[in-house]
């Protein structure tokens, strides 16, 4: 099984701003505590993309987790976008479609894609603006998201819902633009094989890491030093330097990077029983869900 020397969690954001408050990047190496990477003034999505390209150029042996969905539901309806002739057949073509219809949007936003007359039909945009093909009370789910809910591993949300604090659609779609712009510079599991060396990207869900760190269901956010220290001790990791501010984006990233260091050694997480080649190419999978 592949071993990595460094582990990084990117807590992503789909907010419209150039430099959203919600982006945090934390990394941990072979020794020492997890630490935040702090650009000045804050991360932008383009900053993260460019940083990844530098990691790829350096061939750094790093596992990089993104807290976003890297595809949309396909298998429940046999299509990402039923009734749209341009609906793609796999996740990488989906990334290309989102990019194609968002090139006019600054900061890796996806406003133009969501305004496209065919795409718009599938999303809940606001309480009073719901596409005619948005289905179900919470929206369509990928197989991994259905499995998470059925097994109690996580309370996954639908990417087709763009409403409310828990919505993940905008962050996931902006993440797809970023993945497309990487242009294969870093392999992405499970769409690509695990490389023998160099970096690799995975999809993660920070709540899974929080539960592994001893936090109770429904109370997985930490906003103080005491809670962060307790979570990292549960994971068997050294404590980081004091933070300027204990917001849940920073603590999520620190805890998840530490969890990834442990979880990456668990063979079963790389081979979930329900993950077939077809599911991998069309819908992907959340690392840590088995």
């Amino acid at each position: 099984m592949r071993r990595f020397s460094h582990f990084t969690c990117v807590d992503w954001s789909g907010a419209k701003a150039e430099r959203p408050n919600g982006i945090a990047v934390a990394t941990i190496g072979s020794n020492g505590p997890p630490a935040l990477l702090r650009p000045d003034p804050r991360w932008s999505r383009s900053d993260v993309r460019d940083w990844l390209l530098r990691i790829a150029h350096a061939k750094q042996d790093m596992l990089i987790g993104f807290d976003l969905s890297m595809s949309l539901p396909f298998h429940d309806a046999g299509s990402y976008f039923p009734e749209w002739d341009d609906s793609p057949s796999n996740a990488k073509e989906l990334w290309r479609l989102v990019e194609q219809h968002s090139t006019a949007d600054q900061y890796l936003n996806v406003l133009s894609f969501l305004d496209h007359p065919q795409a718009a039909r599938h999303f809940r945009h606001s309480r009073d603006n719901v596409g005619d093909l948005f289905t179900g009370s919470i929206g369509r789910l990928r197989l991994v998201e259905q499995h998470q809910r059925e097994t109690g591993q996580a309370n996954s949300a639908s990417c087709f819902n763009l409403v409310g604090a828990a919505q993940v659609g905008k962050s996931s779609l902006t993440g797809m633009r970023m993945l497309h712009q990487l242009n294969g510079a870093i392999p992405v599991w499970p769409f690509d094989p695990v490389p023998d060396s160099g970096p690799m990207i995975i999809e993660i869900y920070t709540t899974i890491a929080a539960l592994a760190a001893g936090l109770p269901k429904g109370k997985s956010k930490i906003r103080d030093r005491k809670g962060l220290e307790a979570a990292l001790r549960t994971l068997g990791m050294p404590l980081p330097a004091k933070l300027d501010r204990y917001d849940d984006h920073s603590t999520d990233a620190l805890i998840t990077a530490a969890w990834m260091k442990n979880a990456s050694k668990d063979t079963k997480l790389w081979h979930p029983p329900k993950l077939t080649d077809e599911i991998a190419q069309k819908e992907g999978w959340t690392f840590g869900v088995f």
Side-chain angles (χ1 to χ4, degrees):
M1 185 176 65
R2 169 73 190 280
R3 299 285 184 174
F4 295 88
S5 62
H6 290 76
F7 306 86
T8 296
C9 172
V10 181
D11 198 44
W12 193 249
S13 172
K16 293 180 183 178
E18 178 183 6
R19 300 182 183 277
N21 291 327
I23 297 181
V25 182
T27 189
I28 185 170
S30 300
N31 301 302
L36 291 173
L37 302 181
R38 293 186 179 276
D40 186 17
R42 289 194 298 266
W43 287 102
S44 70
R45 286 181 284 266
S46 297
D47 288 338
V48 175
R49 177 203 59 207
D50 295 344
W51 176 78
L52 289 170
L53 290 171
R54 292 194 294 272
I55 293 296
H57 181 74
K59 299 181 180 179
Q60 190 164 354
D61 192 33
M62 180 182 289
L63 185 64
I64 305 155
F66 275 84
D67 186 24
L68 55 87
S69 296
M70 294 183 177
S71 188
L72 295 175
F74 184 97
H75 287 280
D76 62 335
S79 175
Y80 298 115
F81 304 107
E83 299 189 24
W84 188 3
D85 290 342
D86 289 341
S87 184
S89 61
N90 61 60
K92 291 187 177 182
E93 290 179 2
L94 173 63
W95 303 348
R96 184 181 299 110
L97 181 75
V98 175
E99 172 70 14
Q100 175 187 344
H101 292 291
S102 303
T103 53
D105 297 332
Q106 291 182 308
Y107 317 137
L108 295 184
N109 276 311
V110 290
L111 303 177
S112 298
F113 174 77
L114 292 172
D115 282 342
H116 187 281
Q118 289 298 325
R121 300 178 67 192
H122 298 269
F123 292 89
R124 177 190 280 145
H125 303 267
S126 68
R127 186 176 68 175
D128 301 321
N129 181 8
V130 182
D132 66 299
L133 294 179
F134 179 88
T135 60
S137 59
I138 64 171
R140 295 166 57 198
L141 296 172
R142 294 184 296 159
L143 291 177
V144 66
E145 294 157 354
Q146 295 174 17
H147 182 64
Q148 286 174 334
R149 282 177 165 262
E150 291 167 358
T151 58
Q153 295 181 63
N155 193 27
S156 302
S158 171
C159 285
F160 286 112
N161 175 48
L162 308 177
V163 182
Q167 67 90 10
V168 296
K170 293 175 184 175
S171 61
S172 297
L173 291 167
T174 58
M176 291 178 202
R177 284 198 70 185
M178 181 272 300
L179 291 170
H180 176 76
Q181 290 183 14
L182 288 177
N183 195 30
I186 300 179
V188 183
W189 180 89
F191 311 103
D192 300 310
V194 178
D196 294 332
S197 61
M200 180 159 212
I201 292 172
I202 57 174
E203 172 187 324
I204 48 88
Y205 190 35
T206 57
T207 299
I208 293 176
L211 295 175
L215 276 76
K217 285 186 177 181
K219 297 181 178 180
S220 62
K221 299 302 180 183
I222 291 176
R223 298 180 179 89
D224 57 48
R225 177 75 184 182
K226 183 178 179 180
L228 178 61
E229 289 182 353
L232 291 175
R233 286 194 183 101
T234 299
L235 294 172
M237 296 294 167
L239 304 180
K242 289 186 177 181
L243 307 184
D244 296 334
R245 184 180 65 180
Y246 289 86
D247 61 87
D248 53 289
H249 305 294
S250 298
T251 57
D252 276 354
L254 288 163
I255 292 167
T256 306
W259 169 80
M260 287 169 57
K261 185 173 181 179
N262 290 335
S264 67
K265 302 171 187 175
D266 189 341
T267 302
K268 75 174 184 292
L269 298 183
W270 292 102
H271 303 283
K274 291 194 173 184
L275 180 60
T276 65
D277 289 343
E278 184 182 9
I279 293 170
Q281 294 306 310
K282 294 184 183 301
E283 293 195 351
W285 198 263
T286 308
F287 184 80
V289 177
F290 55 91

